Amino acid sequence: MTIRVVIALSDKAIEASVVRRLARADTGATVVRRCLDVVELRAVAAAGLADVAVVELHLRGMDRDVVRELHSHGLRVVGISLEAGNAALGVDAVVPPKPEHICTALRGGQVAIGIDDPTLLAPDEALTGNLMTVWGPIGAPGRTSIAVAIADELALLSLPTLLADVDTYGPSVAQHLGLLDDSSGVAAVCRLAGQGRLDGTAVVRSAVALPSGLRVLTGIPRTERWEELRPAALDLLWQHSRSFAASTVADIGFCVEQDELAWFEPGMPSRNQAAVATLAAADTLVAVTSADPVGLTRFLRQAPLVRELAPAASFNVVVNRMPKGRQPESEVRALLREHLDVHTATFVPDSSVLFASCRQAGRTLSEVAPRSEARRQLRGLAAQVAGVRLSRKRRRAA
């Protein structure tokens, strides 16, 4: 069977030599298209015209998201570069610009080009950290306040913890913690991921360290920059965060529906892709709802879709702003059982004034109200998710 090859190389001399070599009968390959740029390459892949893409990894616009798109169309991607580190872009093989090496890679062979850092190709099995994704429906149920509080409690339990703001609609983790947001930590690591230069050390350097030990990747300062949070880059971020953080807490946006434009233009960026990709990678899903009728209705309608998007994640419900009394709690429990088959939940009492004080001061719940019932409930949830048993001394401190 002849291998159909599409080529995207900026150096015309190298391109000509590759085409001449692949034209020989012994290669078992035929060049179906010579692309001028990444746009044309993506179009050829989407049309199903090729089996393998031979691309220059320094070609303008070439990044991890493009490689991921080519893979989604069933193409094997052979990258041409003199730097082994470009394997981090997710290509199937990296070869020097020599026709014989390219032919070897087309047949699935490996070409050694001097890999200096073996950690670039570390297996995923070595990554053991937990990714907790915190979601809540539209209507400000207190999702970010809950995410910040849980991340803070995990750090106070002496667990290396990373808090990342990947909300593309209303990022506010930086404001909750009194941090500067003129330079986005999460956008910085996404840029490095797209360039194939992201590793665990780069993630740590991009995050702000708090006194509790919590590290924070601040969100995008302006929502029109949502395109910077690409799914492939976020996937790599979660892989690397697992390598150094026992727990990663990701605060995502409320909207998870597929963008209508995606049906007509597959591969085009979508504002909801950051949330969807983070849900797909989640080990733990914390779904936040307010206890009022409107908030609960929105939550019960959208929660089933969110659960489907996080098939491997354990499901935890936090009912925020819970009014006092046993009757309201029993009514909410009945609704959760009936509509979501959820039998346990964390009930956080109405602490709107308390959380407002936290935001005003740029401090965490543990700092502002260490003995509050709200903190006790969220500390218990954090310990439960982390598999840490709270001692009596710790419970008393809470």
Side-chain angles (χ1 to χ4, degrees):
M1 181 177 177
T2 302
I3 302 173
R4 299 173 301 168
V5 181
V6 57
I7 294 177
L9 304 172
S10 61
D11 191 312
K12 297 307 174 185
I14 295 176
E15 181 189 70
S17 64
V18 170
V19 171
R20 283 196 301 270
R21 179 67 180 86
L22 294 181
R24 290 169 47 177
D26 62 336
T27 62
T30 181
V31 177
V32 296
R33 186 68 64 88
R34 299 160 72 171
C35 299
L36 294 175
D37 52 30
V38 167
V39 174
E40 187 178 359
L41 172 65
R42 292 170 58 191
V44 172
L49 301 177
D51 305 304
V52 179
V54 176
V55 300
E56 181 184 326
L57 294 180
H58 294 291
L59 191 66
R60 183 177 180 181
M62 193 68 200
D63 59 18
R64 192 176 182 86
D65 284 279
V66 174
V67 174
R68 185 181 188 181
E69 182 181 341
L70 297 177
H71 281 155
S72 72
H73 294 301
L75 274 72
R76 189 167 183 272
V77 183
V78 176
I80 294 182
S81 176
L82 292 174
E83 302 173 14
N86 279 292
L89 284 180
V91 298
D92 300 284
V94 181
V95 299
K98 296 182 179 180
E100 60 271 21
H101 289 161
I102 295 172
C103 290
T104 300
L106 288 180
R107 294 189 292 268
Q110 297 297 319
V111 179
I113 61 172
I115 296 178
D116 298 319
D117 186 359
T119 62
L120 288 171
L121 303 177
D124 291 346
E125 288 78 10
L127 308 175
T128 58
N130 179 80
L131 172 61
M132 176 193 295
T133 301
V134 184
W135 167 85
I138 192 171
R143 182 198 70 242
T144 301
S145 294
I146 299 299
V148 169
I150 291 176
D152 179 55
E153 295 298 342
L154 289 167
L156 292 173
L157 289 171
S158 300
L159 297 172
T161 305
L162 176 71
L163 172 60
D165 189 345
V166 291
D167 186 351
T168 56
Y169 286 90
S172 60
V173 166
Q175 287 74 24
H176 276 66
L177 293 170
L179 302 175
L180 295 175
D181 69 344
D182 53 339
S183 179
S184 169
V186 73
V189 298
C190 284
R191 281 195 299 273
L192 291 173
Q195 298 163 2
R197 297 192 292 125
L198 185 66
D199 56 19
T201 302
V203 176
V204 173
R205 287 175 178 170
S206 299
V208 179
L210 302 185
S212 64
L214 176 65
R215 292 185 178 275
V216 181
L217 286 175
T218 54
I220 50 177
R222 298 189 307 277
T223 53
E224 63 265 28
R225 291 177 57 183
W226 60 265
E227 285 193 51
E228 296 180 36
L229 308 189
R230 307 295 287 270
L234 290 174
D235 286 345
L236 193 61
L237 166 59
W238 307 139
Q239 288 181 26
H240 285 302
S241 72
R242 285 185 171 102
S243 69
F244 70 87
S247 293
T248 299
V249 179
D251 181 24
I252 66 173
F254 68 89
C255 195
V256 297
E257 291 87 358
Q258 184 171 5
D259 194 313
E260 292 182 2
L261 289 175
W263 295 104
F264 303 101
E265 298 184 66
M268 290 296 291
S270 165
R271 190 168 188 171
N272 302 337
Q273 284 180 335
V276 172
T278 305
L279 284 167
D283 303 300
T284 302
L285 171 59
V286 174
V288 182
T289 177
S290 55
D292 65 275
V294 174
L296 274 169
T297 300
R298 289 169 172 164
F299 176 80
L300 295 174
R301 287 175 176 171
Q302 200 170 12
L305 171 60
V306 175
R307 292 180 78 174
E308 288 179 10
L309 293 172
S314 61
F315 188 61
N316 302 267
V317 175
V318 174
V319 183
N320 194 22
R321 300 175 191 143
M322 193 70 203
K324 293 181 179 180
R326 291 187 178 181
Q327 183 177 352
E329 183 173 321
S330 64
E331 291 174 351
V332 173
R333 286 185 185 276
L335 287 170
L336 293 175
R337 283 195 301 270
E338 178 184 353
H339 294 276
L340 300 177
D341 195 27
V342 169
H343 297 270
T344 60
T346 299
F347 292 89
V348 178
D350 192 349
S351 307
S352 302
V353 175
L354 190 57
F355 280 118
S357 298
C358 293
R359 293 190 295 272
Q360 186 69 26
R363 301 169 69 192
T364 63
L365 186 61
S366 65
E367 295 173 310
V368 173
R371 297 187 179 277
S372 64
E373 177 63 16
R375 191 215 170 184
R376 190 180 74 84
Q377 293 292 336
L378 294 173
R379 185 174 178 80
L381 176 59
Q384 173 193 325
V385 170
V388 175
R389 186 175 180 180
L390 291 177
S391 63
R392 290 182 180 179
K393 183 178 179 181
R394 277 178 168 172
R395 285 175 186 160
R396 235 180 274 122

